[in-house]
Amino acid sequence: MRKTHNTSSGGPEIPDEGTTAPSSSAWSAAPDGGRPQGSVCTHTSMLTRPPDTGPSAVCPACVALGYDWVRLRRCTTCGTIGCCDSSRGQHAHAHYEATGHPIVFSLAHDESWAWCYVDEVFLIEV
Protein backbone atom coordinates (compact mmCIF):
# COMPACT_ATOMS: atom_id res chain seq x y z
CA MET A 1 0.00 0.00 0.00
CA ARG A 2 1.35 3.43 -0.93
CA LYS A 3 1.68 5.92 1.92
CA THR A 4 1.48 9.65 1.28
CA HIS A 5 2.40 10.51 4.88
CA ASN A 6 -0.01 12.82 6.69
CA THR A 7 -1.81 15.37 4.51
CA SER A 8 -0.93 15.32 0.84
CA SER A 9 -2.78 17.40 -1.73
CA GLY A 10 -2.54 15.90 -5.16
CA GLY A 11 -0.15 13.00 -5.60
CA PRO A 12 3.07 12.65 -3.66
CA GLU A 13 6.11 14.09 -5.36
CA ILE A 14 9.72 13.20 -4.82
CA PRO A 15 11.49 16.50 -4.04
CA ASP A 16 14.56 17.56 -5.98
CA GLU A 17 17.43 15.88 -4.17
CA GLY A 18 20.09 18.42 -5.09
CA THR A 19 18.65 21.52 -3.46
CA THR A 20 20.31 21.76 -0.07
CA ALA A 21 21.69 25.13 0.99
CA PRO A 22 24.51 25.89 3.41
CA SER A 23 23.39 26.49 6.96
CA SER A 24 24.32 29.76 8.61
CA SER A 25 23.66 28.35 12.08
CA ALA A 26 26.01 26.55 14.41
CA TRP A 27 25.20 22.98 15.41
CA SER A 28 26.22 21.00 18.47
CA ALA A 29 25.53 17.67 20.10
CA ALA A 30 22.32 17.71 22.13
CA PRO A 31 22.54 16.94 25.84
CA ASP A 32 21.83 13.25 26.30
CA GLY A 33 21.47 11.69 29.73
CA GLY A 34 22.43 8.28 28.39
CA ARG A 35 25.77 9.34 26.95
CA PRO A 36 28.91 10.77 28.51
CA GLN A 37 29.16 14.55 28.75
CA GLY A 38 31.27 16.11 26.02
CA SER A 39 29.87 14.05 23.15
CA VAL A 40 30.68 15.84 19.90
CA CYS A 41 30.05 15.45 16.22
CA THR A 42 33.10 15.76 13.99
CA HIS A 43 30.94 16.37 10.91
CA THR A 44 29.01 19.56 11.75
CA SER A 45 31.05 21.57 9.24
CA MET A 46 29.35 19.48 6.53
CA LEU A 47 25.88 20.27 7.83
CA THR A 48 23.46 21.98 5.46
CA ARG A 49 19.81 22.78 6.14
CA PRO A 50 17.44 20.83 3.91
CA PRO A 51 14.81 22.64 1.87
CA ASP A 52 11.26 22.50 3.18
CA THR A 53 9.69 19.44 1.60
CA GLY A 54 6.23 19.86 3.09
CA PRO A 55 3.86 16.93 3.30
CA SER A 56 4.68 15.68 -0.21
CA ALA A 57 7.96 13.96 0.75
CA VAL A 58 8.07 10.19 0.44
CA CYS A 59 10.57 7.39 0.96
CA PRO A 60 11.08 6.30 -2.67
CA ALA A 61 12.38 2.87 -1.63
CA CYS A 62 9.28 2.25 0.53
CA VAL A 63 7.00 3.40 -2.30
CA ALA A 64 8.71 0.96 -4.67
CA LEU A 65 8.30 -1.90 -2.16
CA GLY A 66 4.77 -0.99 -1.10
CA TYR A 67 5.88 -0.30 2.50
CA ASP A 68 4.54 2.31 4.91
CA TRP A 69 6.98 4.44 6.90
CA VAL A 70 6.91 6.17 10.29
CA ARG A 71 9.15 9.24 9.81
CA LEU A 72 11.42 10.51 7.05
CA ARG A 73 15.07 11.56 7.14
CA ARG A 74 17.05 13.53 4.54
CA CYS A 75 20.77 12.99 3.93
CA THR A 76 22.66 16.26 4.35
CA THR A 77 25.35 15.16 1.90
CA CYS A 78 23.28 14.28 -1.15
CA GLY A 79 19.63 14.96 -0.27
CA THR A 80 18.43 11.36 -0.47
CA ILE A 81 15.21 10.80 1.50
CA GLY A 82 14.76 7.57 3.44
CA CYS A 83 12.58 6.25 6.23
CA CYS A 84 13.65 6.19 9.89
CA ASP A 85 14.91 3.24 11.95
CA SER A 86 11.39 2.73 13.37
CA SER A 87 10.10 2.07 9.85
CA ARG A 88 10.04 -1.36 8.25
CA GLY A 89 12.55 -0.45 5.54
CA GLN A 90 15.05 1.58 7.61
CA HIS A 91 16.16 3.14 4.32
CA ALA A 92 17.90 6.21 5.79
CA HIS A 93 20.20 3.94 7.79
CA ALA A 94 20.72 1.68 4.78
CA HIS A 95 21.73 4.78 2.78
CA TYR A 96 24.32 5.63 5.46
CA GLU A 97 25.67 2.05 5.41
CA ALA A 98 25.95 2.10 1.61
CA THR A 99 27.46 5.58 1.23
CA GLY A 100 29.05 6.60 4.54
CA HIS A 101 27.16 9.92 4.42
CA PRO A 102 27.20 10.75 8.14
CA ILE A 103 24.28 13.10 8.92
CA VAL A 104 20.52 13.09 8.32
CA PHE A 105 17.88 15.68 9.18
CA SER A 106 14.48 14.70 10.47
CA LEU A 107 11.81 15.82 8.03
CA ALA A 108 9.00 15.47 10.58
CA HIS A 109 7.19 18.80 10.97
CA ASP A 110 7.30 18.45 14.77
CA GLU A 111 11.03 17.66 14.97
CA SER A 112 14.01 19.96 14.49
CA TRP A 113 17.21 17.97 14.80
CA ALA A 114 19.82 16.03 12.91
CA TRP A 115 21.51 12.70 13.67
CA CYS A 116 25.14 11.76 13.07
CA TYR A 117 25.43 8.02 12.43
CA VAL A 118 29.22 8.05 12.79
CA ASP A 119 29.42 9.86 16.15
CA GLU A 120 25.99 8.60 17.31
CA VAL A 121 24.71 11.97 18.53
CA PHE A 122 21.62 14.10 18.05
CA LEU A 123 22.47 17.57 16.74
CA ILE A 124 20.60 20.77 17.49
CA GLU A 125 20.99 24.34 16.24
CA VAL A 126 22.51 26.71 18.80
Side-chain angles (χ1 to χ4, degrees):
M1 177 176 204
R2 185 174 181 171
K3 183 169 184 172
T4 57
H5 201 57
N6 293 334
T7 58
S8 178
S9 56
E13 298 175 8
I14 298 173
D16 179 14
E17 293 182 357
T19 59
T20 58
S23 173
S24 60
S25 301
W27 291 80
S28 69
D32 184 347
R35 300 195 190 279
Q37 287 294 80
S39 294
V40 297
C41 174
T42 57
H43 306 93
T44 55
S45 64
M46 301 169 50
L47 207 52
T48 56
R49 170 138 318 272
D52 182 20
T53 56
S56 64
V58 299
C59 175
C62 282
V63 170
L65 294 168
Y67 293 172
D68 290 341
W69 57 85
V70 178
R71 301 275 178 147
L72 297 174
R73 311 290 182 238
R74 184 182 200 115
C75 175
T76 62
T77 302
C78 69
T80 295
I81 295 176
C83 57
C84 69
D85 286 358
S86 297
S87 300
R88 179 178 178 187
Q90 299 180 355
H91 293 114
H93 191 259
H95 176 74
Y96 159 69
E97 291 289 334
T99 65
H101 295 169
I103 300 174
V104 292
F105 274 111
S106 172
L107 292 183
H109 71 281
D110 60 341
E111 297 175 342
S112 180
W113 52 263
W115 171 258
C116 180
Y117 288 107
V118 174
D119 297 314
E120 296 185 343
V121 293
F122 282 102
L123 301 168
I124 55 173
E125 281 185 286
V126 291

